[in-house]
Amino acid sequence: MKYLIASSVLVITLIIGFFFLPASLLSGKKIPYDDEQDGLSKQIVIRFSHVVAENTPKGLAAQKFARLVEEKTDGLVKVEVYPNGSLHTDEDELDALIDNDVQMIAPSVSKLTNLAPEWGLFDLPFLFENDQDIEETLSSELGHRFLSLNENKGIIGLALWSNGFKQMSSNLNPLLYPDDFKGQRFRIMPSPIIAEQFEALGAQPVEVPFNQLYTSLQEDQFDGQENTISNIYSRRIYGMQKYMTVSNHGFLGYAVLMNKEFWDKLPKEVQRDIQEAMAETTSWMISESQRVNKEQLNLIERESSIQIYRLTEQEKMEWYQALRPVYQKFLQTTKDKEMKEFVKKRMDQLETN
């Protein structure tokens, strides 16, 4: 009798255990994390703040990254994306990251020159010849070196993102020759190299945060600006400027940064999945930024009355000759031999074409 009772108890226990097994075991799905690990009992939330619109390459990449992280960690990590400077503006997002008020940001590389002057390399005019040139440089050893450049400030770099090339616009006259810039006020990002660029052209650079760009144009605080097509389109800058030159003179890249202390406390498996998600997003963004900028340039041409000019090779060389002193100053101020060689090689290419 006692064996019959014991058998019945065993059967009941097995039945109960079966119904209460985790769904992942029943489906054969791999369990990526051990619940007994410290810090994995609750969902990990990463606040990702940026200052551009959701339909720009950076905005779309941030959303894709958030989805990939959630998928790879089975919902353990949630990336909350705050676009349009809704959480922190251009001016205070770096401080917010250092203070761990947010865990991730993706500022333009130009803004990081305040932390390390080496970032100014990416602001040199005509540094890249085409999109492939950008991709190869960002994925090179030189590009990867920038990711650890600010660790002494409590910041770790996860990736470099590309939004492609910048174009020029003005409300006063077409911008085809260096003399066309003289006397005009141009909105710029906070970068010594960009400021020197406009000064070399005889223009007056004015630092204005990106979130104030539209209202500053409305109030006639400056005459022109430089930006990618996606930012010109999403902020409707084309509706407040009369002339635009497709110059491809400058590069707009973003450094995806995370608070180092927060990163170091993440379990290794979580770090691995975040890095995988970031690598996939970075690769995707290269082609996506090209697609968006091309598509939105066509929309600007169809939807607006702005006059669009495309810089010829001869006009491009006239711009470069006027901007050559900016290269020389960078070579004089940087101590990094690899960066110097990279810049000299690009100057040789421009001058022999």
Side-chain angles (χ1 to χ4, degrees):
M1 183 69 180
K2 64 180 179 180
Y3 293 108
L4 180 60
I5 295 172
S7 299
S8 301
V9 170
L10 177 60
V11 170
I12 293 170
T13 301
L14 289 173
I15 292 172
I16 292 173
F18 176 84
F19 283 107
F20 283 89
L21 275 172
S24 56
L25 287 180
L26 292 174
S27 64
K29 189 175 182 180
K30 173 191 172 186
I31 302 177
Y33 304 110
D34 180 358
D35 288 339
E36 292 180 2
Q37 293 183 56
D38 290 339
L40 293 186
S41 59
K42 295 182 180 179
Q43 188 177 55
I44 299 170
V45 176
I46 298 174
R47 287 171 294 180
F48 187 170
S49 173
H50 68 79
V51 300
V52 299
E54 293 172 286
N55 63 339
T56 60
K58 179 163 69 172
L60 294 169
Q63 295 172 59
K64 182 177 182 66
F65 171 71
R67 289 194 299 271
L68 286 173
V69 169
E70 185 172 7
E71 291 171 8
K72 290 179 181 295
T73 64
D74 289 334
L76 176 69
V77 180
K78 180 180 182 182
V79 179
E80 296 179 347
V81 180
Y82 297 88
N84 283 310
S86 58
L87 196 59
H88 290 284
T89 66
D90 232 353
E91 297 172 288
D92 62 11
E93 63 177 2
L94 262 174
D95 288 336
L97 180 72
I98 293 171
D99 294 339
N100 202 31
D101 289 339
V102 294
Q103 289 69 54
M104 286 185 70
I105 60 173
S108 65
V109 292
S110 304
K111 187 175 179 182
L112 299 178
T113 53
N114 291 329
L115 295 179
E118 290 88 345
W119 287 101
L121 172 76
F122 294 112
D123 287 330
L124 288 171
F126 300 112
L127 183 68
F128 299 117
E129 186 174 0
N130 50 43
D131 289 302
Q132 183 180 352
D133 197 13
I134 293 173
E135 181 179 353
E136 290 175 355
T137 302
L138 296 189
S139 61
S140 69
E141 183 181 342
L142 176 62
H144 289 154
R145 281 174 52 198
F146 280 89
L147 299 181
S148 59
L149 200 57
N150 302 121
E151 287 190 8
N152 62 334
K153 305 288 196 309
I155 299 169
I156 186 170
L158 295 182
L160 294 174
W161 284 354
S162 169
N163 193 4
F165 290 100
K166 292 186 289 185
Q167 322 302 340
M168 291 284 193
S169 71
S170 171
N171 212 31
L172 296 185
N173 54 261
L175 302 168
L176 299 176
Y177 304 99
D179 285 348
D180 295 333
F181 289 83
K182 287 186 176 177
Q184 293 197 45
R185 298 163 300 161
F186 277 82
R187 177 268 171 180
I188 68 165
M189 293 180 284
S191 163
I193 295 291
I194 296 178
E196 290 167 12
Q197 166 187 286
F198 283 100
E199 288 167 358
L201 293 169
Q204 177 187 351
V206 182
E207 288 187 13
V208 175
F210 185 73
N211 60 299
Q212 298 176 22
L213 177 56
Y214 187 87
T215 54
S216 297
L217 278 170
Q218 284 182 316
E219 296 168 0
D220 293 323
Q221 292 184 20
F222 45 84
D223 307 304
Q225 61 87 55
E226 60 170 6
N227 232 309
T228 59
I229 292 296
S230 61
N231 285 343
I232 290 172
Y233 182 80
S234 66
R235 293 284 170 161
R236 298 194 174 276
I237 296 169
Y238 61 87
M240 292 178 288
Q241 300 268 270
K242 294 179 182 177
Y243 311 97
M244 182 171 74
T245 302
V246 179
S247 54
N248 289 345
H249 68 281
F251 164 69
L252 180 57
Y254 308 111
V256 188
L257 308 175
M258 180 171 276
N259 178 280
K260 189 176 185 302
E261 184 179 359
F262 179 88
W263 172 262
D264 289 342
K265 290 180 179 178
L266 293 175
K268 295 299 181 184
E269 291 182 348
V270 172
Q271 290 181 351
R272 179 203 64 205
D273 286 342
I274 289 174
Q275 287 170 328
E276 287 181 1
M278 184 57 68
E280 289 182 33
T281 303
T282 301
S283 178
W284 171 85
M285 188 180 178
I286 292 170
S287 58
E288 181 66 8
S289 63
Q290 295 172 29
R291 182 194 69 79
V292 170
N293 282 305
K294 182 178 179 180
E295 179 182 282
Q296 293 182 347
L297 176 58
N298 291 333
L299 290 173
I300 291 173
E301 289 179 309
R302 292 204 308 263
E303 296 175 2
S304 75
S305 60
I306 192 171
Q307 296 183 40
I308 299 176
Y309 303 85
R310 287 170 170 79
L311 213 60
T312 67
E313 286 301 312
Q314 181 179 347
E315 291 162 349
K316 172 181 169 181
M317 282 308 301
E318 291 190 40
W319 283 36
Y320 168 70
Q321 291 300 330
L323 293 168
R324 200 174 186 277
V326 181
Y327 276 79
Q328 296 293 354
K329 188 166 183 180
F330 181 83
L331 290 173
Q332 291 169 5
T333 55
T334 185
K335 297 179 181 179
D336 190 293
K337 292 182 180 179
E338 189 177 355
M339 288 187 189
K340 283 187 175 183
E341 290 303 314
F342 182 81
V343 171
K344 288 178 180 178
K345 181 180 178 181
R346 181 56 181 151
M347 291 177 74
D348 289 340
Q349 290 173 337
L350 285 164
E351 292 169 10
T352 55
N353 285 344

